[in-house]
Amino acid sequence: MAVTIKSPREIELMREAGRILAKTHEELAKNLRPGMSTWDIDHMGEEIIRSYGCIPSFKNYNGYPASICVSVNDEVVHGIPHKEHFLDEGDIVSLDAGVIYKGYHSDAARTYGIGEIDDDAKKLIEVTRQSFFEGIKFAKAGNHLNDISAAIQKYAESFGFGVVRDLVGHGIGSHLHEDPEIPNFARKRKGILLQPGMTLAIEPMITEGSYEVVWLDDDWTVMTEDGGWAAHYENTILITEGEPEILSL
Ligand code: MF3
Ligand code: CO
C-alpha cells in the first residue's frame, strides 16, 4: 500500500478524532487508582470513547478483545485487560487507545505511574515521552523518515535505555495501520521523504534493560525478555509545510 496524502477534509476528521482521543486519555489518567483492575480501565475507556460517538478501533482488531491496551510494568504493549489483574501503588501502566471518528483513526499511548513510583520508573516514563518529542523535531517535509527514527533512538539510548525493535509506528488514516512502518531506531535505508498531508503514528517503546521482547501465550501481550520495565508514548501527527501538528494532544 502506498503512503497516502490526506485531503483537507480527511485532515479535519483526523483532527477531531485526535481531539477526542486526547480527551479520552485525560479522563482515563484522572481516574487511575491503586486497586483498580486493568479491566476497569478498559471498561471506562470504551465508555468514554463511545460517549463521544466514536468507535474504539482496537476492539476486535485482528481478534484483540478489548478497547484499551493496558500494559503493566514489564509488559511493553498490547496487554489484555483482565478483571483479576489489579494495579498496585508503585506500578507503571501504559494505556494505548485508538478511536474512529467518521471513518478516520487516531492512535495514542501514554504511560502513567500508579500512586508514588520510584525515581527509575519516573525517568523511564519521562525519557520515553521526550524521545517522541526529540523524534518529531525531524518530522518535517523534505526530511527522511529515518531522521525521526534515529533521533528517538539516540535520545533514549543516551540514558542507557533499550529501544524495542520488534514493533514499530505506522501511517494512519482510514485504516489504523497504513504505510509506512516507522521504526524507533535508525536504519541504513533513509526511508521515505516526508511530505505535507502525511499522517503518522509515532510510538517509541522504551525499556530499562535489553530491548528484546517476548510474546505471551495469549498471542498479544508483549513483555520484556529480561523482566525490566517498559514505557510507551504515542501520538498521531500531521506533516505540514512547517512544524508537525500533533493531532492527539
Ligand atoms: N498502537 C498500537 C499499534 O499501533 C495499537 C495496537 S491495536 C491492537 O499497534 F488492537 F492491535 F491491539
Ligand atoms: Co500505533
Side-chain angles (χ1 to χ4, degrees):
M1 194 172 85
V3 178
T4 57
I5 303 297
K6 272 68 181 181
S7 69
R9 173 188 162 270
E10 291 179 297
I11 289 168
E12 209 36 65
L13 295 175
M14 290 188 70
R15 278 199 184 101
E16 186 59 14
R19 203 180 63 82
I20 290 167
L21 182 54
K23 283 190 162 189
T24 300
H25 271 298
E26 278 168 28
E27 289 181 43
L28 284 171
K30 265 191 288 184
N31 286 291
L32 291 177
R33 303 266 183 285
M36 75 196 304
S37 73
T38 56
W39 186 91
D40 292 332
I41 296 172
D42 175 55
H43 182 73
M44 196 175 9
E46 177 165 2
E47 299 266 287
I48 297 167
I49 291 167
R50 293 198 191 279
S51 77
Y52 288 113
C54 288
I55 298 167
S57 43
F58 300 172
K59 189 109 185 200
N60 302 320
Y61 180 83
N62 290 339
Y64 184 76
S67 298
I68 315 286
C69 298
V70 185
S71 309
V72 182
N73 298 342
D74 59 340
E75 297 173 352
V76 183
V77 288
H78 303 171
I80 296 180
H82 288 291
K83 280 193 169 159
E84 41 332 315
H85 188 169
F86 299 102
L87 297 176
D88 286 328
E89 173 103 17
D91 284 346
I92 64 172
V93 61
S94 299
L95 305 184
D96 190 350
V99 304
I100 310 173
Y101 175 75
K102 297 188 179 171
Y104 282 83
H105 289 253
S106 195
D107 184 6
R110 314 271 182 260
T111 302
Y112 301 107
I114 300 301
E116 272 301 306
I117 59 171
D118 68 28
D119 289 344
D120 288 348
K122 278 183 196 153
K123 189 162 175 198
L124 176 66
I125 292 172
E126 184 45 37
V127 168
T128 302
R129 181 182 164 282
Q130 189 57 32
S131 72
F132 166 88
F133 288 98
E134 296 298 321
I136 67 161
K137 287 179 182 168
F138 294 87
K140 288 185 181 158
N143 283 351
H144 290 273
L145 187 67
N146 197 44
D147 299 331
I148 302 175
S149 309
I152 291 170
Q153 177 178 29
K154 186 170 168 214
Y155 184 77
E157 289 184 350
S158 74
F159 293 87
F161 292 139
V163 176
V164 172
R165 302 288 199 271
D166 290 343
L167 297 130
V168 296
H170 48 94
I172 181 168
S174 55
H175 301 272
L176 173 59
H177 293 134
E178 300 183 358
D179 280 341
E181 289 196 347
I182 309 175
N184 299 300
F185 51 94
R187 293 188 295 194
K188 288 192 178 133
R189 241 176 311 142
K190 290 183 176 173
I192 59 161
L193 270 179
L194 301 174
Q195 293 175 46
M198 289 180 176
T199 44
L200 309 172
I202 300 188
E203 48 178 318
M205 290 153 266
I206 306 298
T207 60
E208 280 185 311
S210 159
Y211 61 71
E212 292 289 350
V213 297
V214 291
W215 268 257
L216 278 190
D217 285 340
D218 65 17
D219 286 345
W220 280 104
T221 312
V222 179
M223 324 245 325
T224 62
E225 189 177 64
D226 64 7
W229 286 11
H232 186 199
Y233 187 83
E234 173 181 29
N235 281 304
T236 299
I237 71 163
L238 168 71
I239 305 295
T240 73
E241 301 283 355
E243 297 298 317
E245 186 176 327
I246 305 177
L247 302 177
S248 53
L249 257 191

